[in-house]
Amino acid sequence: MKKVILLGRPNVGKSSLFNRLARARIAITSEVAGTTRDVNKTEINIDDRECLLIDSGGLDESSKLFAAVQKRSLAEANEADIIVFMVDGKLYADEIDKKLFYAINRLGKPTALVVNKVDGKRDEQRAKDFISFGAKKLFEISVSHNSGTDELCEWIYSQLEPAKTSIDESIEDFLADFDDSLLESDESNSRFKSNIDYENKAIKVGIIGRVNVGKSSLLNALVGQNRSVVSDIAGTTIDPVNEKISVNDGNKEREIEFIDTAGIRRRGKIEGIEKYALNRTQKMLENADIAVLVLDSVEGINELDERIAGLASEFKLGVIIVLNKWDLKAQEYQDFDKEFDRMSREIRDRFKFLSYAPIISLSATSKKRVEKLKELICAVYKNYTIKLPTSRLNEVIATATKAHPIPREHGRAVRIYYAAQFDTAAPKIALVMNKPKCLHFSYLRYLQNQLRASFELGGTPVILVPRGRGKSKEENNE
């Protein structure tokens, strides 16, 4: 454990800072110079790192007693690893402080110059005089008003050793106590909650979309037979229609179970038996792995398409967006690529919540690019059920937070200690941190994008759960 010593002349606020960092009234403080004559020590935590904090007597040789106190303080400084040298911000810099600071610097230890009692504008101006000391690290603080101490703590934190417990051991300890209620799930706790053999199970794919976009035609094209009734009458399919096929996925055969669901109408137009069809569609999505959202490329996108897309997002499924009837669309445009890019931009703009979903154009009636869709389903499923290497996961998070630090909360640092994946389908990752409630959703989205880019997680949502370290269920839910 590293030793951090507070040094300085009498009455600069060393004992007050000691109590502040220790979060307890350990050292006696008073206006009388030289109150502290011995050395106080206590173990403290700065976030997840520990150190031994030492409060020393004032550096003063004006009397025999004070000279003895100074000798003891300097002996402790010689044994310390990190030095915080404090001066009084109510006074101008003088040669005595400068000589003491230079003498301390000669010890060759990480040293910060801390100007205390900076309580107002005049104090701030006076504190600028201490720049002449040439300190590599200078902090202006007010212990009494608790300002500036967070920046000092950040610097001390950077000089301390990480916790001795390895990341993997910390993660295992964390996962053993992980509270699944954070995800509103009543499944049992385990390293990965799901014990499903994702390698060998059939991939369940729900085909969803509004009425008459070609879902049934797509199912027939995928399975190679007229399994679902197709007609121009909107709402032909009422019951979900299931069909399984085998596909070659690399070096193995993979089974895919397709479910053609009833087309969804606007809420005001759902009548009679179609209400039950909508409920059954939602039930199907609860058990699906991937949703294939079918859009009509000829008619274009409307508000109902957005609502249906929201279902796939709500159930946290892998998602593929299909622009169907592309053969008819091609008759209107000579530059197919340009039109595909235009529609893709519109989809990205309107379906921002599905930014991770790949988009493919095809024709269910002519079966053009249908085989490509099968390949894409297998690729998205791998991403949906992936187990990320712990060390690599933490490398990506560390790199991302270094490139764009987490915004501070009321001047206080927000830190992620480590990340731990605790479930798959979709990948669910806990971010163990000091202030879980202070991680803004926009920063979560940034981390999700970094993870997708690093692990090529196209097609799957990535669920990040900020979680306090060693917190109880009640504390995390406050």
Side-chain angles (χ1 to χ4, degrees), residues 413-470:
V414 180
R415 283 197 189 87
I416 297 173
Y417 300 138
Y418 52 80
Q421 184 180 359
F422 61 92
D423 205 2
T424 56
K428 300 176 182 68
I429 299 164
L431 301 175
V432 185
M433 56 190 302
N434 62 339
K435 299 178 185 295
K437 292 191 71 175
C438 298
L439 200 61
H440 196 266
F441 74 88
S442 60
Y443 198 87
L444 281 173
R445 187 165 60 237
Y446 161 69
L447 292 179
Q448 288 168 338
N449 291 337
Q450 294 301 305
L451 289 168
R452 283 203 189 92
S454 298
F455 293 102
E456 298 182 356
L457 298 177
T460 181
V462 178
I463 302 167
L464 300 181
V465 183
R467 212 271 197 183
R469 185 179 186 183

Side-chain angles (χ1 to χ4, degrees), residues 10 58-68 70-71 74 96 100:
L59 303 180
D60 187 1
E61 295 180 309
S62 61
S63 72
K64 189 174 181 180
L65 173 61
F66 285 174
Q70 175 172 300
K71 184 177 180 180
L74 292 175
I96 297 175
L100 285 170

Side-chain angles (χ1 to χ4, degrees), residues 294-347:
V294 184
L295 305 175
D296 189 324
S297 63
V298 176
E299 290 187 8
I301 305 164
N302 63 29
E303 183 183 344
L304 185 56
D305 289 319
E306 294 181 44
R307 291 185 181 181
I308 297 168
L311 284 175
S313 176
E314 177 186 340
F315 289 107
K316 308 300 182 188
L317 304 177
V319 181
I320 299 169
I321 299 173
V322 170
L323 286 170
N324 191 26
K325 306 181 184 179
W326 198 251
D327 53 337
L328 299 177
K329 188 74 172 176
Q331 294 175 11
E332 302 177 34
Y333 297 91
Q334 292 183 343
D335 194 336
F336 307 143
D337 292 338
K338 186 176 180 180
E339 177 58 15
F340 178 78
D341 289 343
R342 186 199 66 77
M343 290 201 72
S344 295
R345 286 194 301 272
E346 182 182 356
I347 290 168

Side-chain angles (χ1 to χ4, degrees), residues 393-406:
L393 172 62
N394 280 275
E395 284 176 14
V396 172
I397 294 295
T399 301
T401 54
K402 186 176 181 180
H404 295 284
I406 304 171

Side-chain angles (χ1 to χ4, degrees), residues 64 114 122 176 236 253-254 284 288 425:
K64 189 174 181 180
V114 174
R122 288 186 179 180
T236 301
E253 285 293 307
R254 169 73 75 180
M284 178 277 298

